[in-house]
Amino acid sequence: MKLLLITAVAEFGKEVKQILKKANVKTYSYKEVVGYRNASEDALGSNWFGTEMNENESIMFYAFIQKEYVELVCEAVAEFNSKQETLSHIHTAVLSIEKSN
């Protein structure tokens, strides 16, 4: 059993749900979250917002999934990200579950 975490900007919510469906992940949860980006190291001219901390409407999905579905999700996310022309991507993390009830 693995714990799959997926984060993305809110605009990618529909795509994440499609990826999970194609990977046969039938049960998952998601939550709207606020993402922060520290832009203090960016040049002021390239920082559109003019502040050091940028907030983004984001989402976080999480699911307990079987090991065999992990690669399907990660491959689909990598394919989606490779086609993006924006700086935003879908991010995944996978954690091993030692014990669950």
Side-chain angles (χ1 to χ4, degrees):
M1 180 75 56
K2 302 286 185 178
L3 174 58
L4 173 68
L5 300 173
I6 301 174
T7 60
V9 293
E11 290 81 8
F12 291 161
K14 182 179 175 183
E15 289 82 359
V16 173
K17 290 176 185 177
Q18 289 174 347
I19 287 170
L20 291 170
K21 183 178 181 179
K22 287 181 184 178
N24 210 22
V25 177
K26 297 178 181 174
T27 305
Y28 58 86
S29 300
Y30 77 94
K31 176 94 175 126
E32 294 177 359
V33 296
V34 177
Y36 290 92
R37 179 177 179 272
N38 183 348
S40 62
E41 294 180 9
D42 293 347
L44 188 56
S46 66
N47 184 351
W48 177 262
F49 298 100
T51 64
E52 291 185 355
M53 292 300 288
N54 298 326
E55 292 184 9
N56 296 307
E57 292 180 20
S58 301
I59 48 176
M60 181 176 66
F61 289 79
Y62 47 100
F64 292 97
I65 65 174
Q66 296 299 322
K67 184 178 173 181
E68 58 267 17
Y69 300 125
V70 170
E71 279 306 311
L72 295 173
V73 172
C74 291
E75 288 171 5
V77 167
E79 181 181 345
F80 175 85
N81 287 341
S82 71
K83 296 177 182 175
Q84 291 307 301
E85 296 180 10
T86 64
L87 294 178
S88 293
H89 288 102
I90 296 173
H91 303 278
T92 59
V94 180
L95 303 159
S96 294
I97 303 299
E98 293 181 25
K99 184 177 180 180
S100 66
N101 294 321

